[in-house]
Amino acid sequence: MKQADFREIGSKLTSAFRLQTRPLAVYGTDVLPAGIPPMAGINRCFAVSLYRMAAGRELSAIYIGDGATEGCCMGGLFHTGYIPVPADIKYFVSTGRKDVRGGAAEFLKASPELVDRCSVAAGPIHPPGKYLVVQACDALPDSMPDVLSLCIFGNGEQIRNMAALIHFDRDDPFSPVIVPWGSACSTFITFPAGLAENTPKNTAFMGPQDPTQNHSLPPEMMALGIPAGMAARMVENLDASFITRRPQVAFPRHLVK
């Protein structure tokens, strides 16, 4: 299997981890493949659109970018690098301000200044091309794009097992899998695809921890954003690891007590 064959990588991860969802590939392009609808035609939110794509079969790809930003969540456009950071976001996601959105606030951070410091820590966000495409791995074209990362949805057991496989060939017990602060689309796309300049390398991102998406995701559902090279290495390690050699440990029969 060639490392760049993400249809095969997605298929192997689906089988090994018994996924009921479709792994999604993230890539940038300056030439948009035919037949891919803009995200705003599906939903204004990246997180909602990605989950619908992963959980169903009706939708196989979406894109944003040049000429396809109207109607999209402003936060999602910022977190993928297509617009500068909106001036009011730091107030909206923290404690609010009377003259910003009528004082509406999400209280996700203790202060607007803390939001600013988090943005500085993440670094500038650079779009991956004229367009950013998210496409189900099983729908990727024969001319395989330069995939940046995968987004995989699963239940707690499946995501725990994926995290354990990521650790299989790593000597650092702390940093290979982390739960970052930020929007759901940051966990699914921005950080694993390396769009934020200071994103740690060779790291997978678990979440989302953004509670504003709890309305759109089943309570047992989690996701893992995985850099492309790491996803390929996971597949290479399948046969040597507990996933293949001790499947009864990875997926025990859970008895109802």
Side-chain angles (χ1 to χ4, degrees):
M1 181 189 68
K2 296 180 180 180
Q3 181 174 338
D5 186 356
F6 280 90
R7 285 179 302 194
E8 184 72 6
I9 288 171
S11 176
K12 286 183 176 292
L13 292 175
T14 298
S15 176
F17 292 96
R18 307 182 185 186
L19 298 174
Q20 286 76 52
T21 56
R22 306 162 82 188
L24 308 177
V26 177
Y27 61 93
T29 180
D30 290 332
V31 179
L32 189 67
I36 296 180
M39 184 186 77
I42 309 304
N43 192 278
R44 68 184 299 272
C45 173
F46 249 133
V48 172
S49 300
L50 265 62
Y51 178 65
R52 288 182 182 176
M53 192 190 320
R57 292 283 166 179
E58 300 82 10
L59 179 66
S60 291
I62 55 172
Y63 79 95
I64 64 168
D66 186 41
T69 58
E70 185 175 353
C72 298
C73 168
M74 298 294 283
L77 292 175
F78 158 60
H79 287 296
T80 50
Y82 287 101
I83 63 170
V85 57
D88 62 350
I89 275 191
K90 64 181 179 181
Y91 302 106
F92 179 63
V93 302
S94 62
T95 56
R97 199 174 76 176
K98 289 182 179 180
D99 61 340
V100 175
R101 304 190 189 192
E106 293 183 331
F107 301 101
L108 298 176
K109 279 291 188 181
S111 71
E113 294 75 21
L114 195 57
V115 177
D116 278 342
R117 293 200 293 273
C118 282
S119 294
V120 170
I125 299 173
H126 306 287
K130 187 175 180 180
Y131 307 102
L132 183 148
V133 178
V134 183
Q135 189 165 24
C137 286
D138 59 21
L140 287 168
D142 290 335
S143 54
M144 190 65 59
D146 185 11
V147 172
L148 299 173
S149 62
L150 299 187
C151 176
I152 298 180
F153 293 89
N155 62 34
E157 183 174 73
Q158 292 163 337
I159 298 300
R160 291 195 305 268
N161 283 335
M162 285 192 170
L165 183 61
I166 289 169
H167 278 280
F168 178 73
D169 63 354
R170 299 286 291 272
D171 57 12
D172 178 358
F174 298 110
S175 67
V177 183
I178 62 176
V179 179
W181 182 79
S183 64
C185 54
S186 294
T187 303
F188 299 165
I189 298 173
T190 312
F191 298 141
L195 305 185
E197 199 166 284
N198 296 333
T199 303
K201 307 298 183 185
N202 300 314
T203 301
F205 300 89
M206 184 185 293
Q209 55 69 49
D210 177 4
T212 67
Q213 288 302 324
N214 287 345
H215 72 95
S216 60
L217 296 174
E220 72 281 1
M221 186 63 62
M222 297 183 68
L224 202 61
I226 312 170
M230 178 179 281
R233 193 166 68 247
M234 290 170 68
V235 169
E236 292 172 358
N237 286 335
L238 281 173
D239 288 344
S241 76
F242 69 99
I243 286 291
T244 298
R245 303 186 71 167
R246 301 197 72 195
Q248 73 279 9
V249 172
F251 296 100
R253 293 181 61 188
H254 294 287
L255 301 178
V256 177
K257 296 181 180 181

